[in-house]
Amino acid sequence: VNNQKNHSSANQEITQSVKRTYLKPRIESVEMRPTEALLGACKTSSSAGPASPSCSTLSCSSLGS
Amino acid sequence: MMPMNAASALAGPENPSSPTRTLCLGGLTIRLIGSGASAPLIEPISQRFLVDSEVTPTITLEVGEGDPAEFEKLASQKPFFDSGGTWKLYREDKTLVYAVTVPIFGDIPYRFLEVANDFSTGRLLINPKAGVPEHCLFPLAFPLDELLVANLLTLPGNEGVLLHACAVTDPDGNAYVFVGQSGDGKSTTARIWAAREGMTILTDERVIIRRHEDGFFVHGTPWHGDQLAAVPGRARISGIFILRKAPANSVTETRPSLASALLFARSFPPLHNPESLAATAAFLESLVTNVPCRELHFLPDSSVVDFVRGLYAA
């Protein structure tokens, strides 16, 4: 039992020595763009980026940014 | 929809007369088995990713013309998920159906991809009544190719993600992944780096990142941007940079929690599938824990090349 107490006490000291400064939680928002993320965007011929043979006909492409 | 056991029988390798094409994308192999004597058509750039058909495929797809009634039936059903763009997802008992509709071919889907729930087999069919011109008959063209790969990457054991990024390797053996949404500078980055001798642009628009036995690797894809960069290679990742245009070059360290969130917002996970979303989040957490991920504020000229390479100089 004494050994367990000593071990516990040592752990507390270690925990206190590495204790980090408290930082208040805060929310950070990250922008998502559903039309890009869903691979559903249909780009027109005026959009940036080259078109593959099928895309040039369908006016639909994943290409370019 | 055709029962998947029937589709599997048609698509199985036991029919040696069926013409096949096998694509390797991010280390995942997609075997396409044509009907009749004609081999499935592959877009020219994607042909760079063709491999020996003897490799064991990740998924096998039967490719051909479908029954117009199947397409009409899809159009009459309520989709499980609507992308708001060109594709909708329909859920059957044992399969998922991704159907593509574009105005030029009317309001009936002109092609669809039906896959078994375990993504081992499927069918890739074109609607013969849609009047698709011959030079557009690429059954696996966007968005079905990317949707398929995005799903495969989240399956257990595959450990990967499709990212909105360009990737560059330099002569020193370093590989950099520059991640960005539209307008963040991926094409500009690719153009600047391509102008330097010895650089290889794996792709300038979409990359696949996977964890292999010996670390995290970036794979080139056929899904290129302005620079037409689409190299079927892979490289161990030295660093990941989230692009930010700025008046001067600098990097900021990014906490892993924020880094994984920023990458998630620049990835293409199957957003309709909670299990896939969880797998993607877990993978990104592992990625940013093991690979340096920073925000790169960059001046869009050649100085950024020296700046980034300087970070890795011995």
Side-chain angles (χ1 to χ4, degrees):
Chain A
V1 174
N2 281 339
N3 281 344
Q4 286 179 351
K5 281 182 178 175
N6 290 339
H7 189 65
S8 174
S9 175
N11 275 349
Q12 283 177 355
E13 288 174 14
I14 292 170
T15 303
Q16 285 170 357
S17 67
V18 298
K19 192 172 183 179
R20 292 187 295 182
T21 307
Y22 174 75
L23 292 174
K24 186 179 179 182
R26 61 191 173 99
I27 295 174
E28 288 189 59
S29 61
V30 171
E31 181 197 11
M32 287 196 73
R33 298 183 189 171
T35 54
E36 292 182 22
L38 284 169
L39 298 167
C42 195
K43 305 193 82 168
T44 66
S45 57
S46 60
S47 298
S52 67
S54 58
C55 290
S56 60
T57 299
L58 305 179
S59 296
C60 177
S61 173
S62 67
L63 308 176
S65 60
Chain B
M1 295 292 107
M2 176 187 288
M4 286 313 298
N5 56 355
S8 300
L10 285 170
E14 58 272 10
N15 184 354
S17 64
S18 297
T20 67
R21 294 283 185 272
T22 303
L23 286 164
C24 183
L25 300 170
L28 304 169
T29 48
I30 302 167
R31 178 162 298 159
L32 307 173
I33 301 183
S35 58
S38 58
L41 292 174
I42 308 288
E43 288 182 289
I45 283 223
S46 294
Q47 289 177 20
R48 299 175 186 175
F49 294 79
L50 288 170
V51 294
D52 190 335
S53 287
E54 292 183 3
V55 298
T56 303
T58 308
I59 183 170
T60 301
L61 301 174
E62 171 204 356
V63 182
E65 289 190 345
D67 179 350
E70 285 194 80
F71 294 87
E72 289 162 12
K73 182 184 172 190
L74 281 175
S76 68
Q77 293 177 336
K78 184 181 178 185
F80 172 67
F81 184 85
D82 186 342
S83 72
T86 58
W87 64 273
K88 294 177 182 176
L89 172 64
Y90 299 85
R91 195 157 64 172
E92 304 282 334
D93 185 29
K94 296 179 179 176
T95 66
L96 297 168
V97 182
Y98 292 88
V100 182
T101 307
V102 292
I104 193 171
F105 298 137
D107 53 6
I108 306 290
Y110 83 97
R111 60 190 166 110
F112 72 69
L113 167 67
E114 180 182 29
V115 290
N117 286 336
D118 66 358
F119 279 84
S120 61
T121 59
R123 299 186 302 154
L124 188 54
L125 301 180
I126 286 190
N127 184 353
K129 283 182 69 176
V132 182
E134 194 170 328
H135 65 283
C136 291
L137 287 174
F138 302 110
L140 195 57
F142 177 82
L144 296 182
D145 49 3
E146 293 192 52
L147 287 168
L148 177 58
V149 168
N151 276 281
L152 292 175
L153 288 168
T154 65
L155 296 180
N158 287 344
E159 291 190 279
V161 70
L162 178 60
L163 274 183
H164 210 171
C166 75
V168 182
T169 63
D170 73 8
D172 297 329
N174 291 312
Y176 314 107
V177 179
F178 300 101
V179 191
Q181 292 167 324
S182 294
D184 283 346
K186 295 183 299 299
S187 296
T188 301
T189 298
R191 178 174 48 78
I192 289 170
W193 284 74
R196 290 291 190 92
E197 191 174 350
M199 305 293 176
T200 299
I201 314 297
L202 288 176
T203 174
D204 55 339
E205 181 66 15
R206 307 269 207 266
V207 305
I208 292 170
I209 293 179
R210 290 191 65 194
R211 188 202 333 236
H212 298 300
E213 287 181 3
D214 45 350
F216 288 86
F217 285 74
V218 59
H219 293 254
T221 73
W223 308 309
H224 60 80
D226 292 346
Q227 298 299 307
L228 302 177
V231 175
R234 73 173 201 178
R236 185 194 298 274
I237 303 172
S238 304
I240 298 172
F241 297 92
I242 295 161
L243 293 173
R244 308 281 193 199
K245 287 177 181 169
N249 297 316
S250 67
V251 288
T252 54
E253 299 298 326
T254 309
R255 286 177 288 106
S257 57
L258 179 59
S260 59
L262 290 168
L263 292 183
F264 186 89
R266 290 152 180 77
S267 67
F268 303 96
L271 293 173
H272 49 81
N273 184 336
E275 291 176 0
S276 294
L277 291 177
T280 300
F283 176 80
L284 291 175
E285 181 184 1
S286 176
L287 176 65
V288 301
T289 303
N290 288 280
V291 178
C293 181
R294 291 171 278 197
E295 292 183 61
L296 174 64
H297 305 264
F298 76 103
L299 190 63
D301 66 22
S302 64
S303 65
V304 70
V305 177
D306 299 318
F307 176 78
V308 170
R309 296 187 73 194
L311 298 173
Y312 292 84

